[in-house]
Amino acid sequence: MIVDIHQAGAIAATAQAKPGQSFLHLLFETGISRGRELCAGTGLCGKCKIRFLGAPPAPCTDDQARLDAEELADGWRLACKHVVLESCDIEVPDFAPVTLAGSRGESLAVDIGTTRIKWSLISKAGHSPEFATINPQMGVGSEVMSRLRYALSSDSARAHLRQSVIRVLGDLVRRSGAVSLAVCGNSTMIATLLDVPLVGLAYAPYSLPWQGGEKVSIDGDLPAVYIPPLLGPFIGADISAGLAHISTLEPEYPFLLADLGTNGEFVLALDAEHFFACSVPMGPAIEGVGLCCGATAGERVLSRVALGPTGLQWVGTPLSGISGTGYASILALLRRLSVIDEAGHFQAATMPLARKISDRIGTHRLGRILDLEPGVFVAERDIEEFLKAKAGVNVALRSLVRRAGLLEGDVARIYLAGALGEHADPSDLITLGFLPEAWREKVEVAGNTALAGTLLALESEDVRNWLACLPDRVVVEGLVEREDFGSAFMQAMRFAWV
């Protein structure tokens, strides 16, 4: 079956499609959608829309929720919700090309995150700033399970997923002139990059297909790559690198590293020799992806909200979307004003200023929403997605502290990392119940600890030796596999520390 893909008034690609193949995957394999901030193929974000230039398929429920009547009549549909049944012509919106910023340097450190790839360089002048681009694998979904399902669907799919990242690494090496390379990332990102078996990461009982902590060759055009050790199926090289960075800060024990990304990874260090670790899936919501008006941080993307004499205030108008940090900021403020309740539902407020804000609450085809600007709003369904992430973090942190035989107040320092941890106001996370009140004066926003530790590993053999010993010092708890996880998770589905 032949699919002609039109963009900007011309045919951008002609693809040979398999019967029943998702249009979403077809767009990724042709390179059309690489670098797009898409949800996990669940119809939440609406950003994968395509227009059928011939007879369109009947709209599904998700089409009707995300697209208005005029768009549906014009033949627009969600690519993630339709499959190729016959040869056809489709149109895709224009996408801004992905460009790679950077500088030159002898050594290149790369953090392959689920949503973004970040990097920094070492030269004779020192360390460069941190640069970032969208992970091209976002074209098949925003979280690791969507990637694993796609990779396991066929050998060619797995190769497409792997090569999309190798191309980015190759571009970075060529642009920078780097002759040494170190890469960190979660276990799925690393396993995909190395083309090792993925079944143990996709299905229980979960297992780690490769241990890391060594140099490997991943492509003939790249230098040999040092990858820090992986600590568990969902506790990757980014976490071991982060611990290497914190170990150089002469930390006070016991300390906690909380990496809040699409996967929440947590390590509690009792002392320099004893570590307890666990992880929970958090989903892309905390990075602003997959939500009705979600977006990664950037120009005109809401990242912080304040309360002024007339109600909500922000900068960057007109808004184009809301980042994960922006959602945390606005939800915390709404919670303090009782505009949303503990369960995450909008409610009528009593205080005069809060009433002005609650007057923005209305109905939409996506459900109840709080309007911010035309086309930009917070929906109750978005709040639920954010609440799921909060519940997972709550359960993980409480379980880890108890596993170590401690109380929350015994932890001396909490280092926040990851997409949400790097940028959110800790007081917002306490208001929403991600963190307990007992940690208010103990939280340190630590930045990108993964990239910082990977840079250290590039420079220092002592750091690499420390990392080599780390796996034997870490006890990994399989939290999600526990029988009581489901009930504890549901109990934590409210904006309070539980």
Side-chain angles (χ1 to χ4, degrees):
M1 295 176 181
I2 303 298
V3 177
D4 285 331
I5 304 169
H6 298 249
Q7 191 175 36
I11 294 179
T14 296
Q16 180 74 45
K18 299 181 287 290
Q21 183 177 14
S22 163
F23 279 101
L24 180 72
H25 293 167
L26 183 68
L27 292 176
F28 172 74
E29 291 171 9
T30 59
I32 296 290
S33 67
R34 286 176 186 164
R36 296 289 290 159
E37 303 165 11
L38 305 178
C39 67
T42 56
L44 285 173
C45 72
K47 293 182 178 180
C48 68
K49 68 179 184 179
I50 57 176
R51 186 165 77 93
F52 287 84
L53 301 180
C60 66
T61 302
D62 289 304
D63 291 326
Q64 293 168 336
R66 288 300 316 178
L67 306 172
D68 61 33
E70 183 177 353
E71 289 175 310
L72 293 172
D74 284 345
W76 290 98
R77 302 290 186 268
L78 300 180
C80 67
K81 291 298 177 181
H82 295 276
V83 299
V84 181
L85 298 176
E86 59 185 357
S87 295
C88 60
D89 283 35
I90 62 172
E91 176 188 346
V92 298
D94 290 341
F95 302 141
V98 176
T99 57
L100 299 180
S103 57
R104 297 195 54 87
E106 295 80 27
S107 301
L108 172 66
V110 183
D111 173 17
I112 304 177
T114 310
T115 300
R116 290 193 172 198
I117 296 176
K118 301 179 180 180
W119 66 93
S120 184
L121 289 142
I122 304 171
S123 68
K124 293 177 181 177
H127 291 184
S128 76
E130 179 182 298
F131 303 98
T133 188
I134 296 294
N135 187 329
Q137 296 178 349
M138 288 277 285
V140 295
S142 57
E143 39 75 49
V144 295
M145 285 304 170
S146 64
R147 313 271 176 93
L148 288 169
R149 286 192 296 270
Y150 173 73
L152 291 170
S153 67
S154 69
D155 290 344
S156 63
R158 187 170 67 252
H160 279 297
L161 205 64
R162 179 173 184 261
Q163 287 300 321
S164 69
V165 171
I166 287 179
R167 274 192 289 270
V168 175
L169 295 178
D171 286 345
L172 293 177
V173 168
R174 284 189 293 273
R175 286 169 177 267
S176 66
V179 294
S180 61
L181 177 63
V183 172
C184 73
N186 65 48
S187 301
T188 298
M189 296 299 99
I190 297 300
T192 304
L193 180 66
L194 298 182
D195 200 25
V196 296
L198 300 174
V199 174
L201 296 173
Y203 303 104
Y206 299 109
S207 60
L208 193 61
W210 187 73
Q211 302 295 319
E214 59 182 277
K215 278 190 174 184
V216 292
S217 175
I218 60 173
D219 184 82
D221 294 331
L222 295 174
V225 182
Y226 172 76
I227 299 176
L230 284 65
L231 304 177
F234 300 105
I235 304 174
D238 50 347
I239 301 305
S240 58
L243 289 171
H245 167 66
I246 293 174
S247 73
T248 66
L249 305 178
E250 299 183 359
E252 180 182 357
Y253 294 96
F255 73 77
L256 178 80
L257 171 61
D259 190 295
L260 305 178
T262 54
N263 195 52
E265 297 161 287
F266 311 94
V267 181
L268 180 59
L270 286 182
D271 52 45
E273 300 291 330
H274 301 90
F275 301 81
F276 295 93
C278 69
S279 66
V280 290
M282 292 176 62
I286 52 84
E287 298 200 37
V289 176
L291 304 180
C292 296
C293 297
T296 54
E299 187 179 358
R300 296 193 297 108
V301 174
L302 181 73
S303 60
R304 193 164 301 279
V305 172
L307 188 63
T310 60
L312 301 176
Q313 294 182 336
W314 55 82
V315 296
T317 189
L319 296 176
S320 61
I322 309 171
S323 70
T325 304
Y327 275 101
S329 177
I330 194 168
L331 293 180
L333 191 150
L334 296 178
R335 183 72 196 101
R336 294 179 191 120
L337 295 173
S338 298
V339 176
I340 57 174
D341 61 18
E342 274 196 358
H345 301 300
F346 293 124
Q347 62 181 8
T350 56
M351 294 183 293
L353 191 54
R355 280 204 304 271
K356 288 184 179 181
I357 297 171
S358 61
D359 286 344
R360 295 172 176 260
I361 298 170
T363 57
H364 188 278
R365 64 180 181 274
L366 293 167
R368 299 182 76 208
I369 66 168
L370 178 79
D371 257 321
L372 300 180
E373 287 185 0
V376 178
F377 52 83
V378 176
E380 273 194 352
R381 62 188 286 178
D382 295 337
I383 299 175
E384 182 180 0
E385 293 302 312
F386 217 84
L387 198 50
K388 291 175 184 176
K390 176 269 161 186
V393 173
N394 198 155
V395 174
L397 292 177
R398 184 175 285 277
S399 298
L400 204 58
V401 170
R402 289 178 176 174
R403 175 69 174 80
L406 303 175
L407 299 174
E408 280 86 359
D410 296 330
V411 181
R413 180 67 61 181
I414 297 85
Y415 296 96
L416 291 185
L420 185 64
E422 285 183 48
H423 304 292
D425 185 336
S427 66
D428 290 341
L429 299 181
I430 291 171
T431 294
L432 296 175
F434 281 83
L435 308 175
E437 179 64 37
W439 291 352
R440 184 173 292 276
E441 304 302 324
K442 300 178 178 182
V443 176
E444 180 175 329
V445 177
N448 191 335
T449 57
L451 190 59
T454 305
L455 283 165
L456 287 172
L458 264 176
E459 296 178 291
S460 169
E461 184 177 359
D462 286 344
V463 171
R464 294 192 295 274
N465 290 338
W466 185 91
L467 283 164
C469 298
L470 181 61
D472 291 337
R473 300 169 179 171
V474 179
V475 176
V476 177
E477 181 176 9
L479 185 64
V480 177
E481 293 90 340
R482 281 181 10 190
E483 290 185 2
D484 63 344
F485 176 78
S487 59
F489 181 90
M490 292 307 299
Q491 185 181 4
M493 277 285 291
R494 54 194 178 95
F495 286 128
W497 178 258
V498 178

